[in-house]
Amino acid sequence: MSMGLLSHFTAAVLLLLFAFLCFYINHLSIHQTRLVGSVSDQHTEAQTILGYYYPARPQNKSVETRTVISRADKCTLAPESRFDCARDRLLSRRECEERGCCYAPLPHSAGPPWCFYPSLYPGYKMGPLTPTTQGQEATLTRATPSYLPKDIATLHLEVTEEAAGCLHLTFKDPSSQRYEVKLPAGVPQSPADTQDALYTIEYQAEPFGFIVRRKSNGRHEYHGGSLLFADQYLQLSTTLASSLVSGLGEHYTPLLLDLNWTSVTLWNRDMAPHVKVMLQPTPALTWVAIGGVLDLYVFVGPGPQSVIRLYLQVIGYPMMPPYWSLGFHLCRWGYTTSNTTRHVAQRMHNATFPMDVQWNDLDYANKRRVFTFDPWRFGDLPQMVDEFHKSGMKYILILDPGISSSSPPGTYPPFDDGLKRDVWPGPTAFPDFTNPETGRWWEDCIRDFHSKVPVDGLWIDMNEPSSFVQGSVEGCPDSDLENPPYTPSRAVGGHRSCPLLQPAQYVWTDGGLCHSQRSHEGDVRSDWEQLRYSIPAVLHFGLFGVPLVGADICGFGGNTTEELCVRWMQLGAFYPFMRNHNDKPNAPQEPYVFGQKAQATMRSALNLRYSLLPFLYTLFHHAHTSADTVARPLFVEFPTDPNCQTIDRQFLWGSSLLISAVLDRGAEELAAYLPPATWYSLHNGQPFYSKGQYLLLPAPLDTINVHVREGHIIPQQEPALTTTASRRNPFLLTVALSAGGLGRGDLFWDDGDSSSTPLKREIIVTLSSWLDSVRW
């Protein structure tokens, strides 16, 4: 069995990689913004080059290039432009040169590699392009084997121009079927009219490489690394047109990635975020995977938001969340009984804190077995849920895919039934969600449990392979699959699950994705650094098409402080998803446990959020129908403003609401950047006429700075203790006039829960004096 069958992650994340790599390249190129201090500040075009360094300019058609270069010349590369030839292991000079690579130590330098690929390193040769129903195809052949075991000598290249700004390329092993991610149903997969394309693509025949050139300016740069393809090692490199790079999945970094010889590890496993994609200051990157296929999308915009939209047209637009899910959620691992859980919800409302959803962690389960509830501690769980519903609240509990296999036969129906239906991919109790029968079994389990406990949502947790012992109880099999020739250096550590315990008809390849799909049919610490990093994390997820996201408010691990929890509640009031969650060994952090002043500030933040829920719900409607972002980085809204390119301590809701939270202990003022416009304080209406500048704003502990952009109208509603109650309250409008006396906004409104036909109203306000006319 090929390792590729185990590694869909290659394809999935590669798509993410270039989606968000390219939108940074693109939003700079379209406006030709100069990058001060960048080693490539003159390069303003979107491009991708795979293959090797080209001393000659590629042509508009596939050509064969033969250039004689001395060893001294081909090894003369600037240190920042070297591509590592020893990524799999440390090599001596002899071992490096046996690979045909250059060896040049760099004393006092921990970044650039000592062993690196020379120019024109032997690689694949591209055959002629031939037309297909979807685009074009070609065969790539390698005459000289690489240094990798089980090298693949022949590759199949497929090229599809799927939209005016979207190019799709795949590299496959034609002799061995490998797993590929299935696109959502309904996603357009037909080729676009090439006459409308915003780009051209050029090929280098030998050694193989290609360049995507933007039609609008025709510029390009060419300097790439290696394309390698073996059974358990895939590698490609590309130079970048900008040093501003973001994306590459969830990780613990600012919004912009550090290109100074850093790496990002992508690994589907249950572990805290940490920092294998290699980034280097050329600027360039190298992508390495241990199986699968190379499935590459290049999006060229023309703007940041259009790149995001193109990407979501491939993976699918975000779901429309129910209105109540935008309210405040409260959870803790340690609400040990149903009475304790009731008491928490009651204290919240007694203290007049708005709250919509009460959660329970695994405390509810009988012997930690999902689809059960403890008969003693949670014996009246169904009645408790009914009580919440009668008070206008909702209830969610945790649901792990790990099914206990230790119960005596006949005593735990989910495991017994799963055994009969062959849902286990070997001697394990993690269901194989790629097996269609598993999906039917899982839905039956949920349906049966819901008939007893009418929960409103399921908290899907631990749905990537996870192990609390090294390997498995019996150890991992001794095979190439368990011990690949290359292991990402920072993907190790902690306990490792065996990738494959025994061959099965369906292999666990994308458990988290399939588990989430079937159920629908990163813990943080209590500290200021985690508070700050939560903003880029939320913004990244929005770019990835997952807008309903937020960090555990006040932190999950460790003890919070009153000041930290107040500031986190203020920031969390503007997470698209707002939940306070805590680990059981830690000090309580429900809002009502703090002093009266802190409670008043938290209550104010919650009331502000609840008043803005009509606006937030409308933003989710736009995300669902038009792929707009909800929580939005400033550079997406203001792509021509160089000051917005690196900001990740502030963010927008949509295009009109700017949030500037305090993120540092003891701070009572903050420097906030206001892009060129008039911005009105949502607190008191004070206008700030910004030319694109930082302003020092007062920010005492009871204040969060929120500003409304001129020319916009924000629909609001009087808050209440639940969304059930607040939706019955009167609406109000916050109108921020433009210099011309105009304001525009819209409101999406339906029943908030079902798929019934919505009521939508657009608010258009034209003012010659205050609120002259409002037309609904």
Side-chain angles (χ1 to χ4, degrees):
M1 182 177 292
S2 168
M3 183 62 188
L5 288 172
L6 295 176
S7 298
H8 86 290
F9 201 57
T10 301
V13 180
L14 196 59
L15 183 149
L16 276 177
L17 160 69
F18 282 97
F20 297 104
L21 166 66
C22 287
F23 88 69
Y24 258 98
I25 295 171
N26 171 68
H27 93 262
L28 294 173
S29 65
I30 196 70
H31 301 287
Q32 298 189 16
T33 302
R34 184 172 179 84
L35 305 175
V36 178
S38 168
V39 297
S40 60
D41 57 357
Q42 74 276 24
H43 300 130
T44 56
E45 69 293 342
Q47 46 75 56
T48 297
I49 307 106
L50 306 182
Y52 312 95
Y53 177 69
Y54 311 124
R57 175 187 177 97
Q59 305 299 313
N60 289 330
K61 59 183 180 179
S62 178
V63 298
E64 185 173 331
T65 301
R66 297 189 183 277
T67 306
V68 178
I69 303 176
S70 69
R71 181 172 183 82
D73 288 338
K74 69 180 183 179
C75 290
T76 304
L77 296 174
E80 69 272 10
S81 299
R82 296 178 176 183
F83 288 91
D84 194 352
C85 185
R87 199 172 305 283
D88 53 326
R89 61 188 178 92
L90 293 176
L91 299 179
S92 66
R93 176 186 292 273
R94 179 182 60 80
E95 291 171 324
C96 174
E97 292 179 348
E98 284 177 351
R99 291 185 172 187
C101 292
C102 303
Y103 191 86
L106 293 170
H108 314 298
S109 175
W114 290 10
C115 180
F116 55 94
Y117 295 101
S119 57
L120 293 178
Y121 186 79
Y124 288 94
K125 179 179 179 180
M126 180 182 180
L129 280 167
T130 58
T132 68
T133 57
Q134 296 296 313
Q136 294 177 303
E137 64 182 4
T139 298
L140 307 181
T141 55
R142 175 184 284 277
T144 304
S146 73
Y147 54 84
L148 296 168
K150 299 183 180 178
D151 194 27
I152 307 300
T154 302
L155 297 179
H156 181 236
L157 169 65
E158 298 174 0
V159 183
T160 307
E161 298 180 4
E162 296 196 350
C166 176
L167 174 66
H168 184 196
L169 305 98
T170 58
F171 300 81
K172 302 179 183 179
D173 174 5
S175 65
S176 175
Q177 183 181 5
R178 294 168 174 243
Y179 184 83
E180 297 180 50
V181 174
K182 295 181 179 179
L183 295 176
V187 175
Q189 299 183 40
S190 58
D193 185 350
T194 57
Q195 299 298 319
D196 298 329
L198 301 177
Y199 56 85
T200 60
I201 182 170
E202 302 169 5
Y203 299 92
Q204 175 90 16
E206 186 179 14
F208 168 75
F210 70 88
I211 296 174
V212 178
R213 190 197 304 273
R214 184 178 300 281
K215 282 184 177 179
S216 62
N217 52 34
R219 296 181 180 178
H220 72 284
E221 72 175 90
Y222 41 95
H223 187 171
S226 60
L227 169 61
L228 300 174
F229 202 117
D231 185 48
Q232 291 182 261
Y233 188 96
L234 283 64
Q235 175 179 297
L236 61 86
S237 297
T238 178
T239 52
L240 310 176
S242 168
S243 59
L244 301 179
V245 180
S246 187
L248 300 179
E250 182 184 14
H251 40 77
Y252 191 55
T253 68
L255 187 61
L256 293 185
L257 296 173
D258 179 9
L259 301 189
N260 190 26
W261 302 102
T262 58
S263 65
V264 177
T265 300
L266 307 169
W267 184 247
N268 292 33
R269 59 182 298 182
D270 176 51
M271 63 187 304
H274 60 283
V275 303
K276 149 130 176 122
V277 178
M278 176 62 72
L279 302 152
Q280 63 191 71
T282 311
L285 63 79
T286 295
W287 167 265
V288 178
I290 58 173
V293 302
L294 296 177
D295 195 353
L296 171 65
Y297 284 81
V298 181
F299 305 112
V300 296
Q305 186 60 60
S306 63
V307 170
I308 297 168
R309 187 169 292 113
L310 286 166
Y311 168 61
L312 296 188
Q313 285 174 0
V314 173
I315 68 167
Y317 285 7
M319 61 166 282
M320 185 67 186
Y323 194 91
W324 58 262
S325 69
L326 305 183
F328 180 62
H329 301 238
L330 185 59
C331 183
R332 182 173 185 174
W333 188 10
Y335 295 151
T336 54
T337 68
S338 56
N339 282 337
T340 300
T341 308
R342 283 187 178 93
H343 186 59
V344 167
Q346 190 60 53
R347 287 193 66 182
M348 284 291 293
H349 282 173
N350 288 347
T352 64
F353 286 108
M355 173 176 151
D356 261 79
V357 192
Q358 179 64 57
W359 294 47
N360 271 124
D361 209 312
L362 204 55
D363 304 281
Y364 77 90
N366 185 15
K367 300 178 182 177
R368 298 192 174 186
R369 298 178 301 183
V370 295
F371 300 121
T372 71
F373 55 92
D374 188 283
W376 303 107
R377 295 179 297 107
F378 282 85
D380 62 345
L381 180 61
Q383 291 78 13
M384 183 188 77
V385 176
D386 285 337
E387 292 168 16
F388 286 152
H389 288 166
K390 290 176 182 177
S391 67
M393 290 177 56
K394 305 294 183 181
Y395 178 74
I396 292 176
L397 50 71
I398 196 169
L399 182 65
D400 293 338
I403 303 295
S404 172
S405 59
S406 60
S407 302
T411 64
Y412 184 32
F415 180 80
D416 296 331
D417 188 38
L419 195 63
K420 295 176 183 177
R421 296 165 74 164
D422 193 28
V423 305
W424 315 125
T428 178
F430 276 93
D432 173 16
F433 282 100
T434 63
N435 182 344
E437 185 59 35
T438 305
R440 291 186 284 269
W441 162 81
W442 190 253
E443 292 164 8
D444 289 345
C445 289
I446 292 175
R447 189 176 296 107
D448 180 66
F449 186 73
H450 188 268
S451 67
K452 301 168 187 172
V453 184
V455 299
D456 300 286
L458 297 173
W459 172 13
I460 299 174
D461 185 56
M462 302 280 288
N463 65 350
E464 295 294 356
S466 181
S467 179
F468 293 96
V469 298
Q470 183 65 27
S472 72
V473 175
E474 299 176 357
C476 294
D478 183 14
S479 68
D480 290 343
L481 296 179
E482 306 297 341
N483 300 288
Y486 167 76
T487 302
S489 60
R490 297 185 184 181
V492 297
H495 296 307
R496 182 176 69 88
S497 302
C498 300
L500 186 64
L501 288 174
Q502 72 177 37
Q505 180 181 4
Y506 304 92
V507 181
W508 182 294
T509 54
D510 50 0
L513 172 64
C514 292
H515 178 215
S516 300
Q517 291 172 336
R518 295 300 184 180
S519 298
H520 179 264
E521 320 176 31
D523 297 334
V524 297
R525 297 190 311 274
S526 297
D527 62 44
W528 292 91
E529 182 182 64
Q530 297 270 318
L531 171 69
R532 291 188 289 270
Y533 273 116
S534 72
I535 295 179
V538 168
L539 297 180
H540 271 131
F541 270 97
L543 300 178
F544 302 154
V546 186
L548 188 62
V549 64
D552 289 338
I553 291 171
C554 303
F556 175 77
N559 294 325
T560 190
T561 65
E562 184 169 275
E563 181 192 5
L564 174 62
C565 203
V566 166
R567 292 304 193 188
W568 215 319
M569 285 287 286
Q570 290 174 332
L571 174 61
F574 292 91
Y575 290 157
F577 171 73
M578 185 183 189
R579 181 183 75 156
N580 181 319
H581 181 39
N582 193 10
D583 198 0
K584 59 183 176 182
N586 305 328
Q589 60 188 38
E590 295 84 2
Y592 56 71
V593 305
F594 297 102
Q596 290 302 311
K597 288 185 178 180
Q599 287 193 40
T601 300
M602 294 179 177
R603 188 178 298 110
S604 176
L606 280 168
N607 280 324
L608 177 58
R609 178 186 178 87
Y610 270 65
S611 77
L612 289 166
L613 288 185
F615 176 59
L616 181 60
Y617 192 58
T618 302
L619 293 179
F620 271 99
H621 168 70
H622 291 308
H624 174 62
T625 58
S626 305
D628 289 346
T629 46
V630 178
R632 184 173 302 175
L634 270 68
F635 78 81
V636 171
E637 186 64 24
F638 303 98
T640 63
D641 187 343
N643 294 310
C644 293
Q645 293 168 357
T646 61
I647 291 176
D648 61 7
R649 294 173 66 99
Q650 299 170 258
F651 60 98
L652 295 155
W653 267 14
S655 61
S656 53
L657 213 60
L658 177 63
I659 296 94
S660 307
V662 170
L663 306 175
D664 300 294
R665 180 171 53 191
E668 294 198 347
E669 59 184 13
L670 62 87
Y673 181 74
L674 274 62
T678 301
W679 296 86
Y680 297 88
S681 168
L682 188 62
H683 173 64
N684 57 21
Q686 179 183 2
F688 293 88
Y689 305 100
S690 175
K691 297 179 181 179
Q693 63 204 80
Y694 279 90
L695 299 176
L696 193 62
L697 302 176
L701 191 60
D702 63 352
T703 300
I704 179 171
N705 281 280
V706 183
H707 292 87
V708 184
R709 185 180 175 188
E710 65 171 314
H712 291 267
I713 301 173
I714 307 297
Q716 294 178 255
Q717 199 168 22
E718 290 184 9
L721 295 184
T722 65
T723 55
T724 301
S726 70
R727 284 175 59 86
R728 296 193 289 262
N729 285 347
F731 284 90
L732 58 142
L733 303 177
T734 294
V735 181
L737 296 178
S738 69
L742 301 177
R744 180 179 291 271
D746 66 325
L747 170 68
F748 174 82
W749 201 247
D750 60 6
D751 67 5
D753 203 14
S754 71
S755 57
S756 59
T757 303
L759 170 68
K760 183 181 179 181
R761 293 289 182 259
E762 184 178 14
I763 310 164
I764 304 175
V765 180
T766 304
L767 302 174
S768 55
S769 59
W770 184 252
L771 227 57
D772 258 355
S773 67
V774 178
R775 186 167 72 253
W776 289 76

